[in-house]
Each structure stands twice: as structure tokens, then as C-alpha cells.
Amino acid sequence: MTNEKPYEALDSISEKHISEAGACHQAKKPGWIKWGAIAACLCVVIVVGIYFAYPFNPDDGGFGNGDATLFAEHREDFSSEIPSDILAQLGDNTIKAYLLRTNDWFLATDMTDYSQALTNDVLYIVQDTGNGESGAYTAYTEEDGAISKDHGATPPANATVPCGFFGLTNPMIEDDLSEIDYMDSIVTYSTRLRTVIVWVQRLEEDLFVTYPTRPDLLGVEVGGIYTLPEMQEKLTDAYNQ
């Protein structure tokens, strides 16, 4: 043991050791600050990224957030043919319409095929000609061969038909397609846009014939013919107004 008093021992520590200890302490502090700042920045980036990833995805996400799984092409899954048992129940002029995704599919920049925007849900549309309401229709769904009423609709006041499904018939669609060389046509419907979009499948670029309920709001015409980029541009402009 030593009789050296504590204050004398402190006096014996050289200034070199003190400066080295101080330098070590100073060196550690910026490291914590640096990693803390990086973590804070990452948190901000993640929060902002989540906010901007989903502004157009209120229904389950998909478009705009980098999820490419919704963009798997499945064109062969859709057919314009109506089962004979459904025709027997609803009549020959029944319109078969595939429902569009409720997401704002037209805002997707990496959609390459219109089939990516469709669901397998089908409505069968029958015009109500016997109730004196020009343009009124009834929509039906099918499950395991059984037909059930989905909803009925009457046209807006002072509407000029066709608009949307109001007053629209297969002969009208065929007449609008008569000047186009195509392989098949498939009727689709956007519940959000209240617009019928006939997908005209061709060997060359596909075309689309539109029947909006409110053409004044969407900028697409009743019976208007567009390419996919043209239609996306018009609908995007209307969405952003």
C-alpha cells in the first residue's frame, strides 16, 4: 500500500494522459450524433415515402407503391361469350361487363396491358324496356349458375342516352365498332368513373370505345375511340382537376 493521498495521485497523472483521455471522449460523441442523425433521416424518409406511395390507393393499394403483382397480364382470362343458360334467362341482348379495379388504374405508369386493370367480377346488364323509362336498366350477377339482381338504375334527369349503361345495347356497340378491324371486343365498367369502356382487341394497338355517364366531367366522349395512352391521359387530367 502507499501513503500517497488521493490529491497527490491526481497530481501525478501527466497532462499527456489527460489530453489523450479527453481526445477519446471527444471522438466518441460525434459517432453517436452521426448515427442518431442518420436514423432520424431514415424515419423521415420512411414516413414521407409511405404518405406519397398511397395517395391514389384507397382500396388495398397496388398502384403507385411499386407493387408489380397487380400488373400481371391475364388477357386470356376474359371472354365476351355469355353462357347459354344466362342468355336463356336474361335475353339475347344482355351485355356482359367486367368490372374495373376500384383503384385509379389509369394513374399507373407501368401498366402495359388493359387486362391488368380488370377484375374477374362480371355484371350482366339488361335494358328495362317495359317500364316506360327510356334508358333504365337492371344489373345481374351470377353464382354457380344462379342469377340474382344486383341493382337497378334510371338515367339522370334530361340525360341523352346512351350514357354509361343507360340505353346502351349490343347493336349500338357493334355499330360503333363497325369501322374497326378487330379480333374481339370486351365490355368493361368503372363504378368509380361510372363509365363503360369497350376494350377492342386487335393485332395492332388495342382501341377503347367509351360511354361515360358524365362526359363533361371526364373529357371522354360517348362513342369516343381512344388508344390506351390517350385514355389514360384524359382520365388523369380529369382526376387532377
Side-chain angles (χ1 to χ4, degrees):
M1 294 197 55
T2 175
N3 292 326
E4 187 175 28
K5 293 183 173 58
Y7 66 85
E8 292 174 339
L10 288 174
D11 286 340
S12 67
I13 298 175
S14 69
E15 291 185 3
K16 177 183 177 183
H17 291 124
I18 294 175
S19 62
E20 286 177 352
C24 180
H25 178 72
Q26 292 293 330
K28 289 182 179 179
K29 187 176 180 181
W32 286 104
I33 293 175
K34 179 181 73 174
W35 288 112
I38 290 174
C41 289
L42 284 175
C43 288
V44 172
V45 169
I46 290 171
V47 171
V48 173
I50 291 174
Y51 177 81
F52 285 104
Y54 290 91
F56 307 125
N57 309 321
D59 303 303
D60 299 326
F63 304 133
N65 66 358
D67 180 4
T69 59
L70 291 182
F71 295 125
E73 296 181 14
H74 50 122
R75 179 175 177 143
E76 65 279 1
D77 295 345
F78 305 101
S79 169
S80 59
E81 295 183 9
I82 302 176
S84 57
D85 59 329
I86 292 179
L87 285 177
Q89 296 179 69
L90 299 180
D92 291 338
N93 200 36
T94 302
I95 298 176
K96 176 185 179 182
Y98 288 96
L99 292 178
L100 283 162
R101 298 187 187 280
T102 55
N103 306 68
D104 299 304
W105 57 268
F106 49 85
L107 296 170
T109 58
D110 51 348
M111 191 178 80
T112 59
D113 188 286
Y114 187 69
S115 66
Q116 297 169 317
L118 303 187
T119 71
N120 287 309
D121 298 322
V122 176
L123 285 180
Y124 295 99
I125 308 299
V126 179
Q127 297 297 321
D128 298 332
T129 57
N131 60 6
E133 295 179 297
S134 176
Y137 70 86
T138 302
Y140 297 88
T141 57
E142 178 271 337
E143 185 174 357
D144 298 328
I147 295 294
S148 58
K149 179 179 177 179
D150 185 87
H151 68 274
T154 55
N158 303 318
T160 300
V161 295
C163 62
F165 280 125
F166 299 112
L168 187 64
T169 63
N170 283 318
M172 288 179 178
I173 294 174
E174 292 170 359
D175 185 58
D176 287 336
L177 302 183
S178 61
E179 301 299 322
I180 302 174
D181 183 20
Y182 66 97
M183 300 178 297
D184 197 7
S185 63
I186 297 172
V187 178
T188 73
Y189 184 66
S190 170
T191 55
R192 174 171 293 181
L193 301 177
R194 300 183 68 199
T195 298
V196 178
I197 300 173
V198 180
W199 176 19
V200 185
Q201 298 181 347
R202 305 196 304 162
L203 286 174
E204 316 88 56
E205 186 176 27
D206 291 337
L207 295 176
F208 301 86
V209 183
T210 57
Y211 300 92
T213 302
R214 291 292 306 273
D216 54 320
L217 295 180
L218 295 182
V220 293
E221 300 176 1
V222 174
I225 301 176
Y226 306 95
T227 64
L228 181 58
E230 288 172 342
M231 188 171 62
Q232 285 181 297
E233 180 180 4
K234 287 181 175 294
L235 295 179
T236 301
D237 288 344
Y239 182 93
N240 290 327
Q241 287 180 357

